[in-house]
Amino acid sequence: GDSVTQMEGPVTLSEEAFLTINCTYTATGYPSLFWYVQYPGEGLQLLLKATKADDKGSNKGFEATYRKETTSFHLEKGSVQVSDSAVYFCALWYNTDKLIFGTGTRLQVFP
Amino acid sequence: DVKVTQSSRYLVKRTGEKVFLECVQDMDHENMFWYRQDPGLGLRLIYFSYDVKMKEKGDIPEGYSVSREKKERFSLILESASTNQTSMYLCASRFLGIGELFFGEGSRLTVL
């Protein structure tokens, strides 16, 4: 069945470092892909999305490119801030009732 | 602005109590969902609803029930709370046929 695999956390970085959080997926068709972010004590918010191959989603300095050939949707940011500390979830949706989530990756950014 | 509101941010209940978690959305979304979130397990779907008075079991429905009498409101019910139901509960909604979910802020339930 469809699934999403994320890198295990926590990812620990210093402020202004480059961030990559890996996400790969397995799907029978061509899903839409999402990154959600969860700040401490809050629910999930949509960070960015891509609906077809080679699309790039971007928001708040974060980017992710939908790579069909490698079935990946890695999240990147050129210079992280302390305020980016959160849990990040990769997810896919393909013409079903459910959004399928990865297990989440915790990012900790230190000054 | 899109809004999903969960009635209680924090609850403490005793084993065996009946627990109601309420969720209201103001976006006229057809679909609504209840997830629980636990460390290391990510989000697991408990129940979802296509529309009013409709419900479908998710991946972990045991010990839970739901009610959707009005389009904007989706309630999660724990008939007899147990300690293994201590968790963060997240409500979400979306338009029919669109993948993107909108989440509430979550309800952290502790069962003693």
Side-chain angles (χ1 to χ4, degrees), chain A residues 7-44:
Chain A
M7 60 189 290
E8 295 250 350
V11 173
T12 304
L13 295 173
S14 298
E15 209 164 23
E16 299 183 4
F18 184 85
L19 168 71
T20 301
I21 300 178
N22 290 337
C23 171
T24 57
Y25 67 89
T26 302
T28 51
Y30 300 105
S32 295
L33 299 171
F34 306 84
W35 277 102
Y36 280 83
V37 58
Q38 184 180 34
Y39 298 104
E42 298 184 10
L44 278 69

XYZ file of all heavy atoms in Angstrom, chain A residues 7-44:
299
model
N 13.159 10.502 7.519
C 14.344 10.266 8.324
C 14.009 10.410 9.808
O 13.145 11.210 10.186
C 15.469 11.218 7.932
C 15.162 12.679 8.094
S 16.433 13.722 7.364
C 17.806 13.449 8.467
N 14.688 9.602 10.596
C 14.493 9.666 12.038
C 15.113 10.942 12.573
O 16.117 11.413 12.085
C 15.168 8.463 12.697
C 14.550 7.150 12.307
C 13.795 6.524 13.448
O 13.923 7.014 14.579
O 13.106 5.538 13.223
N 14.528 11.476 13.632
C 15.118 12.627 14.292
C 15.690 12.231 15.643
O 15.802 11.048 15.932
N 16.023 13.203 16.446
C 15.942 14.617 16.090
C 17.099 15.069 15.209
O 18.160 14.467 15.220
C 16.006 15.320 17.451
C 16.780 14.384 18.311
C 16.454 12.992 17.831
N 16.823 16.083 14.430
C 17.852 16.772 13.673
C 18.243 18.001 14.481
O 17.385 18.809 14.821
C 17.335 17.184 12.284
C 18.361 18.042 11.562
C 16.959 15.966 11.461
N 19.496 18.102 14.802
C 19.976 19.202 15.633
C 20.926 20.066 14.819
O 21.922 19.549 14.281
C 20.696 18.663 16.879
O 19.813 17.798 17.583
C 21.105 19.802 17.800
N 20.614 21.357 14.726
C 21.415 22.277 13.912
C 21.668 23.571 14.662
O 20.884 23.953 15.542
C 20.673 22.605 12.611
C 20.444 21.472 11.628
C 19.550 21.945 10.493
C 21.765 20.964 11.069
N 22.711 24.247 14.264
C 22.946 25.611 14.730
C 22.211 26.577 13.831
O 21.950 26.284 12.653
C 24.439 25.938 14.714
O 25.139 25.083 15.589
N 21.874 27.721 14.380
C 21.194 28.748 13.589
C 22.014 29.064 12.340
O 23.247 29.089 12.377
C 21.026 30.005 14.434
C 19.823 30.827 14.066
C 19.462 31.839 15.139
O 20.337 32.215 15.933
O 18.293 32.228 15.180
N 21.315 29.290 11.233
C 21.872 29.620 9.917
C 22.438 28.409 9.183
O 22.944 28.559 8.070
C 22.930 30.725 10.006
C 22.349 32.032 10.568
C 23.360 33.167 10.595
O 24.490 32.959 10.114
O 23.017 34.234 11.096
N 22.360 27.231 9.751
C 22.807 26.025 9.041
C 21.808 25.653 7.962
O 20.654 26.097 7.960
C 22.980 24.876 10.029
N 22.271 24.799 7.037
C 21.411 24.281 5.961
C 20.665 23.050 6.468
O 21.235 22.194 7.131
C 22.276 23.900 4.752
C 21.481 23.459 3.565
C 20.982 24.394 2.672
C 21.215 22.116 3.344
C 20.234 23.996 1.561
C 20.474 21.706 2.239
C 19.985 22.651 1.359
N 19.390 22.990 6.096
C 18.542 21.896 6.555
C 18.103 21.028 5.394
O 17.664 21.546 4.344
C 17.287 22.455 7.233
C 16.159 21.442 7.512
C 16.569 20.490 8.642
C 14.868 22.154 7.854
N 18.199 19.715 5.578
C 17.524 18.756 4.707
C 16.837 17.732 5.580
O 17.462 17.159 6.476
C 18.503 18.025 3.780
O 19.194 18.961 2.964
C 17.756 17.047 2.883
N 15.565 17.500 5.314
C 14.843 16.398 5.939
C 14.346 15.517 4.799
O 13.586 15.954 3.939
C 13.649 16.868 6.794
C 14.132 17.781 7.927
C 12.902 15.666 7.359
C 13.012 18.334 8.803
N 14.788 14.263 4.824
C 14.465 13.359 3.725
C 13.084 12.756 3.866
O 12.636 12.415 4.965
C 15.487 12.234 3.655
C 16.846 12.712 3.199
O 16.960 13.751 2.545
N 17.883 11.985 3.545
N 12.429 12.619 2.718
C 11.122 11.977 2.658
C 11.038 11.194 1.355
O 11.274 11.760 0.281
C 10.012 13.010 2.717
S 8.359 12.346 2.393
N 10.714 9.920 1.447
C 10.455 9.115 0.263
C 9.083 8.486 0.401
O 8.570 8.314 1.509
C 11.516 8.017 0.064
O 11.558 7.194 1.236
C 12.883 8.612 -0.196
N 8.500 8.142 -0.721
C 7.153 7.611 -0.682
C 7.021 6.394 -1.587
O 7.819 6.189 -2.507
C 6.139 8.684 -1.090
C 6.238 9.109 -2.536
C 5.517 8.453 -3.534
C 7.075 10.149 -2.920
C 5.623 8.824 -4.854
C 7.184 10.529 -4.242
C 6.462 9.862 -5.204
O 6.578 10.228 -6.524
N 5.993 5.632 -1.296
C 5.577 4.517 -2.147
C 4.114 4.736 -2.472
O 3.294 4.925 -1.564
C 5.733 3.178 -1.423
O 7.080 3.017 -1.021
C 5.336 2.021 -2.330
N 3.788 4.766 -3.752
C 2.400 4.986 -4.155
C 2.157 4.323 -5.495
O 3.052 4.247 -6.340
C 2.090 6.479 -4.241
N 0.929 3.886 -5.703
C 0.590 3.198 -6.948
C 0.394 4.156 -8.106
O 0.554 3.791 -9.240
C -0.686 2.363 -6.766
O -1.698 3.205 -6.191
C -0.442 1.193 -5.835
N 0.038 5.399 -7.807
C -0.191 6.367 -8.869
C 0.708 7.571 -8.712
O 1.880 7.437 -8.359
N 0.149 8.743 -8.965
C 0.897 9.988 -8.850
C 0.240 10.857 -7.789
O -0.672 11.620 -8.082
C 0.934 10.698 -10.209
C 1.590 9.863 -11.263
C 0.842 9.228 -12.244
C 2.965 9.669 -11.253
C 1.452 8.435 -13.193
C 3.577 8.877 -12.201
C 2.816 8.258 -13.164
O 3.415 7.466 -14.108
N 0.741 10.706 -6.565
C 0.059 11.384 -5.456
C 0.381 12.869 -5.385
O 1.334 13.341 -6.018
C 0.632 10.669 -4.232
C 2.011 10.261 -4.664
C 1.879 9.894 -6.117
N -0.392 13.578 -4.633
C -0.023 14.919 -4.164
C 0.811 14.732 -2.896
O 0.569 13.819 -2.109
C -1.268 15.741 -3.834
O -2.023 15.982 -5.001
N 1.785 15.625 -2.718
C 2.709 15.505 -1.589
C 2.684 16.777 -0.760
O 2.526 17.882 -1.303
C 4.131 15.234 -2.092
C 4.293 13.950 -2.899
C 5.682 13.884 -3.526
C 4.053 12.724 -2.024
N 2.835 16.610 0.545
C 2.703 17.722 1.474
C 3.806 17.664 2.529
O 4.280 16.585 2.891
C 1.356 17.647 2.221
C 0.145 17.564 1.333
C -0.286 16.349 0.830
C -0.572 18.711 1.020
C -1.399 16.257 0.019
C -1.696 18.635 0.212
C -2.114 17.411 -0.285
N 4.154 18.825 3.030
C 4.895 18.945 4.279
C 4.048 19.757 5.243
O 3.590 20.855 4.913
C 6.244 19.637 4.087
C 7.329 18.715 3.627
C 7.829 18.584 2.369
C 8.065 17.796 4.442
N 8.814 17.629 2.339
C 8.979 17.133 3.598
C 8.049 17.463 5.794
C 9.875 16.168 4.065
C 8.930 16.508 6.263
C 9.833 15.870 5.411
N 3.869 19.173 6.431
C 3.191 19.850 7.523
C 4.213 20.142 8.614
O 5.182 19.396 8.792
C 2.079 18.986 8.114
C 0.803 18.988 7.323
C 0.636 18.160 6.215
C -0.250 19.822 7.682
C -0.543 18.171 5.491
C -1.438 19.838 6.970
C -1.574 19.007 5.876
O -2.741 19.024 5.160
N 3.957 21.198 9.386
C 4.816 21.542 10.511
C 3.963 21.645 11.774
O 2.821 22.127 11.720
C 5.591 22.860 10.256
C 4.666 24.031 9.991
C 6.530 23.168 11.419
N 4.529 21.168 12.863
C 3.840 21.243 14.161
C 4.761 21.930 15.157
O 5.771 21.351 15.585
C 3.470 19.849 14.652
C 2.669 19.859 15.945
C 2.311 18.461 16.412
O 3.073 17.519 16.220
N 1.145 18.317 17.022
N 4.417 23.147 15.526
C 5.176 23.867 16.543
C 4.773 23.363 17.928
O 3.671 22.825 18.099
C 4.956 25.366 16.408
C 5.438 25.910 15.083
C 4.537 26.245 14.072
C 6.801 26.054 14.819
C 4.979 26.710 12.843
C 7.247 26.526 13.597
C 6.325 26.842 12.618
O 6.765 27.297 11.399
N 5.637 23.523 18.914
C 5.355 22.975 20.252
C 3.986 23.373 20.778
O 3.615 24.550 20.777
C 6.491 23.570 21.092
C 7.599 23.791 20.131
C 6.949 24.186 18.837
N 3.228 22.389 21.199
C 1.933 22.627 21.814
C 0.819 22.974 20.851
O -0.270 23.370 21.291
N 1.068 22.840 19.566
C 0.058 23.226 18.578
C -0.320 22.057 17.674
O 0.295 20.990 17.700
C 0.576 24.384 17.720
C 0.867 25.633 18.529
C 1.290 26.794 17.644
O 1.167 26.686 16.407
O 1.752 27.804 18.196
N -1.357 22.291 16.858
C -1.720 21.313 15.842
C -0.823 21.433 14.625
O 0.160 22.180 14.623
N -1.143 20.695 13.570
C -0.329 20.715 12.352
C -0.793 21.835 11.432
O -1.986 22.101 11.307
C -0.442 19.388 11.604
C 0.441 18.235 12.071
C 0.016 17.716 13.427
C 0.447 17.116 11.042
